[in-house]
Amino acid sequence: SQIYVACQNGRVDQALSLGFLLCWIAGDLTNFVGCYLTNQLPIQIVTAIFYVNMDIIMISQFVYYKLKNQKMTKCKVFQ
């Protein structure tokens, strides 16, 4: 639901920091590696993969809206 709300308002770059998102994905990646190396249940591995994918989507949103909002700011300055 956070991803949907972020798409609606277009302000992901102001709500979260890139450092926070990178720490978040680092934690989820280490969770996935730990699940894989210790032969956890398949549902745990699938859940870890799901979380990594959601992190990638959130980072992509962050970068997209950061660039989009910078362009809009530059256009407003020139008007």
Side-chain angles (χ1 to χ4, degrees), residues 8-33:
Q8 281 186 322
N9 65 23
R11 294 292 179 193
V12 180
D13 58 321
Q14 294 176 358
L16 297 170
S17 73
L18 184 59
F20 174 74
L21 291 172
L22 293 176
C23 286
W24 202 345
I25 196 168
D28 287 337
L29 281 171
T30 55
N31 177 41
F32 168 70
V33 171

Side-chain angles (χ1 to χ4, degrees), residues 3-71:
I3 294 171
Y4 177 74
V5 172
C7 281
Q8 281 186 322
N9 65 23
R11 294 292 179 193
V12 180
D13 58 321
Q14 294 176 358
L16 297 170
S17 73
L18 184 59
F20 174 74
L21 291 172
L22 293 176
C23 286
W24 202 345
I25 196 168
D28 287 337
L29 281 171
T30 55
N31 177 41
F32 168 70
V33 171
C35 286
Y36 181 77
L37 292 177
T38 57
N39 294 322
Q40 297 296 310
L41 295 172
I43 189 69
Q44 291 171 299
I45 295 172
V46 169
T47 302
I49 292 169
F50 173 78
Y51 285 137
V52 170
N53 285 329
M54 292 299 103
D55 294 344
I56 291 169
I57 290 171
M58 284 194 298
I59 291 171
S60 299
Q61 275 187 330
F62 178 87
V63 171
Y64 172 78
Y65 284 113
K66 185 80 165 178
L67 294 173
K68 181 179 176 183
N69 291 337
Q70 282 178 352
K71 284 182 183 179

